[in-house]
Structures are given as structure tokens and as C-alpha cells.
Amino acid sequence: KTKIYKIDKNNIDDNKIKEAAAILKEGGLVAFPTETVYGLGANALDVDAANKIYKAKGRPSDNPLIVHIANVESLNELVAYLPEKGKKVIEAFWPGPLTLILNKSKNIPDNITGGLNTVAVRMPSHPIAIEVIKEAKIPIAAPSANTSGRPSPTNANHVIEDLEGKIDMIIDGGMVDIGLESTVIDFTSDIPLILRPGYITKEMIENVIGKIEIDKALLEEFAHSEAPRSPGMKYKHYAPKAPLNIIDGELDKVVCKINELLLDNEKKGLKVGIIATKQTKMYYNSGIVKVIGDRNHENEIAKHLFKTLREFDALGVDIILSESFNENYLGQAIMNRLLKASGYKIIKVN
Ligand code: TXA
Ligand code: MG
């Protein structure tokens, strides 16, 4: 029922792109790769098509969707107004992993924005995503192509796991580059506000437009108290099936604590998963140890995070223990996703 097509992003088969675009134009659902994660696309101007997205994902209807476009001119029909700072950021980072929240135009159906008067827009850089949107000649609403609440999909198998049988087509374009969803930044107030950290960091944006802010609800100590501005941030997200605990502190103490918790849990007969790094994996002598990447290469850690959580699901572990990562630059996005995946279960060891 769900067509699964492999497309080589360096040698794109136009016929397959045309087929995908035709499905989208008719109001169907197509999952495709972007540079961040796989997206589940539908015609953003078609109420019924957008409703199908919520249904396929099991997504709460008040959690709005990002509208994807293939050229800047398409913005005109989607937003009421583009402020100067927004313009500059678009010039600097589009196409790429950055989503802008802007005041919406009347063309956007209410179910796309969860009833808000703002709309999220992004121009992806992945050649397959761009070709599909260009060929369809319509703006494409696309949340991450996972079942709501599960880790976002970074390869086509993750999409197949969650959505096969529920959507019309899945384009397999291999593993994504970044592995974390786009940075979301709100331009509807004077000082732009980051609602979701991502590959494009606060520092990178400030280099272009000066001072911006980061939503306080994203900071750990506010996670439970403040109402998040981005509706999506209030739901349980990215969560593996087993409880996940993050152990935070100096690295040698973290490793000691994980080994201690590992023994405790194994004594109870539990199967323990450990999220380790290239630098630490040799210090764990039991449990199921997965290396998420090299501590000196945050890009690797970002790229492998969601995949690692899904691997532990497949292995049926009872509990997952994760090292923490420093929060500089891309680390902020990594820790944001990890904290959310854990439900903010963090054990400090200093
Ligand atoms: O990288 C990405 O952004 C991926 C790929 C497929 O492009 N898409 C993605 O979409 O992550 P989704 O739906 O999983 O996440 C969209 C986020 C949610 O947290 C949602 O609440 C927020 O953007 N959002 C969407 N519209 C909004 C709005 N008008 N105001 C505030 N937040 C909004
Ligand atoms: Mg998502």
C-alpha cells in the first residue's frame, strides 16, 4: 500500500520525483528526507491533506506544522509580513536547517497552525526535498515523519517502522546529514526568540542580526514551570520505550556513576543500555554499550542520537543510562533533545 522508492540524492530520478509530487498535489502523504530529519509531507494549503498528517502520526491537533518551500518568493503567499531581521537571517541560512515563525497570511488553513495566527516556514537544503517541493509547485507542510512521541527518523527504515501502511509513499534517500530537527526562531516580537535549538546556533544567528533570546522554557530549571511558547515543546518527545537517565558531571565521575547504576540494575536482572562515546566505551565492562560518537565531534553525536534511542527500543532494554554532553554550540540542541527524551531525568554527580 505504501510505495517505497529509493532515490540517490546525487543522481535524482525525475520520474520518481514526479510521482511523489503528483501524490502531494492530489492531497496524499509522502515522506521524504531533509538535511535534518525525514519529513512527512502534505499540501499545506489543503485542510484535508493536513488532517491526514495528524492522523498518520497520532499527533495532537494543537501542535502546528512547519511549511516547507523551495524558493524565497513562495513566502509572499504564506506570511503577512517579513521583518528586516527575518530577511537577513533567510539570506544567511536558507536553504538550510532554520525555521522562522512569522505572522501568517489568510491562505494558511487553521489546522496547519493549530489555530495560531503565526506560521512556521523553512526552506530545506536537501536536494530530494527541494526537487519534490519544486515539482509539486505547492508549499508542503511537513512534521518529522515519526509516530508522535517517538524519536525523529534519521533514515528511511525509521519511517517505515512508524508509518508503513499509513501513508502513500516513502522516499528512501539514505541517512540524513544533521540528525536533529531545525532551529525554530520566532520573529513576531522585536527581539527574535529561539523556540527550539538546532544546528544553526544562537551564536551563528547573533552574528547576523545581533542580540536574540532563547525561550526560558528550554532551560532545564524552567522545564516544568514555564508554559512553552512552541506548542510542540510541551509534549513528551523523542522518547525511547525504556526509561532514560542522564548522568551529568565531570566525565570520570559520570563513568563511575554509570558503572555503579549498571551493577545495581543488572543485580535486579534488568537489561541495561548505555549511551557512551568513543572516549569512554572501554570503561564499561557489561551492559549493552552504544557509541554515539566522538566527544570532539558534536556533529557525530547529533547525527546518531535518535538512531541510538531507536536501537535500544529494538533491543528491548529495560533502562538506558546516558552520559551528558557539553552545551556549547550544537551541544545545546543535543542536550535539549536528550533531556526531553528522558523526561528531564538527570542525575548530577559532582
Ligand atoms: O527539521 C525540521 O524542522 C523537521 C523537517 C522535516 O523539516 N520538521 C520538524 O517538524 O521537526 P515538527 O512538526 O516535528 O516540529 C515543528 C515544531 C514543533 O515544536 C511545533 O510546535 C513548532 O515547530 N511550531 C510550528 N509552528 C509553530 C508556530 N506557529 N509557533 C510556534 N511553534 C511552532
Ligand atoms: Mg517532530
Side-chain angles (χ1 to χ4, degrees), residues 177-224:
D177 289 330
I178 295 174
L180 300 178
E181 308 85 346
S182 62
T183 307
V184 176
I185 176 165
D186 185 336
F187 279 93
T188 60
S189 48
D190 253 6
I191 299 177
L193 183 67
I194 292 188
L195 302 181
R196 181 172 73 183
Y199 184 85
I200 307 287
T201 62
K202 183 168 185 272
E203 293 78 7
M204 289 161 76
I205 300 169
E206 286 186 330
N207 280 338
V208 178
I209 55 169
K211 179 96 189 108
I212 61 171
E213 272 165 13
I214 180 146
D215 188 1
K216 275 202 233 137
L218 296 177
L219 306 171
E220 192 202 325
E221 60 263 45
F222 289 100
H224 299 289

Side-chain angles (χ1 to χ4, degrees), residues 298-329:
E298 289 174 327
N299 291 4
E300 286 182 8
I301 294 170
K303 191 164 174 166
H304 298 139
L305 176 60
F306 289 141
K307 171 175 150 283
T308 304
L309 295 177
R310 278 183 184 256
E311 284 168 358
F312 282 130
D313 279 352
L315 288 164
V317 299
D318 299 300
I319 181 168
I320 305 168
L321 305 172
S322 178
E323 297 174 7
S324 63
F325 304 96
N326 90 44
E327 294 205 38
N328 298 329
Y329 304 98

Side-chain angles (χ1 to χ4, degrees), residues 1-210:
K1 210 165 127 253
T2 301
K3 270 188 191 159
I4 301 174
Y5 278 175
K6 266 201 165 57
I7 300 184
D8 177 355
K9 70 172 176 180
N10 300 312
N11 182 17
I12 293 180
D13 179 340
D14 290 337
N15 288 323
K16 290 177 181 158
I17 297 286
K18 285 200 175 105
E19 220 179 298
I23 292 172
L24 290 166
K25 278 190 273 196
E26 287 157 20
L29 301 184
V30 177
F32 55 83
T34 82
E35 71 278 26
T36 56
V37 299
Y38 274 71
L40 175 59
N43 181 353
L45 304 178
D46 176 341
V47 179
D48 297 330
N51 276 336
K52 287 185 194 165
I53 288 183
Y54 289 98
K55 183 148 180 269
K57 280 181 60 84
R59 180 174 175 118
S61 60
D62 66 344
N63 189 4
L65 308 176
I66 298 175
V67 179
H68 293 64
I69 56 178
N71 51 65
V72 183
E73 294 72 54
S74 306
L75 258 188
N76 299 332
E77 60 166 344
L78 303 177
V79 307
Y81 169 70
L82 177 61
E84 198 52 40
K85 285 177 186 169
K87 223 174 268 173
K88 285 192 178 150
V89 156
I90 284 174
E91 273 165 25
F93 300 112
W94 276 11
L98 184 76
T99 297
L100 282 75
I101 307 292
L102 298 162
N103 287 312
K104 79 179 189 93
S105 78
K106 293 189 179 64
N107 299 329
I108 311 267
D110 271 348
N111 66 340
I112 295 284
T113 66
L116 299 172
N117 54 14
T118 54
V119 63
V121 193
R122 120 169 162 92
M123 191 196 312
S125 64
H126 196 290
I128 294 175
I130 287 286
E131 285 309 310
V132 168
I133 302 165
K134 269 193 189 151
E135 183 65 36
K137 299 185 182 67
I138 41 176
I140 301 295
S144 49
N146 52 294
T147 298
S148 194
R150 291 209 75 200
S152 292
T154 53
N155 67 39
N157 284 335
H158 300 159
V159 183
I160 293 169
E161 260 172 44
D162 286 10
L163 298 176
E164 187 174 21
K166 299 179 177 173
I167 65 177
D168 301 293
M169 182 186 281
I170 296 171
I171 297 178
D172 180 350
M175 189 168 178
V176 300
D177 289 330
I178 295 174
L180 300 178
E181 308 85 346
S182 62
T183 307
V184 176
I185 176 165
D186 185 336
F187 279 93
T188 60
S189 48
D190 253 6
I191 299 177
L193 183 67
I194 292 188
L195 302 181
R196 181 172 73 183
Y199 184 85
I200 307 287
T201 62
K202 183 168 185 272
E203 293 78 7
M204 289 161 76
I205 300 169
E206 286 186 330
N207 280 338
V208 178
I209 55 169

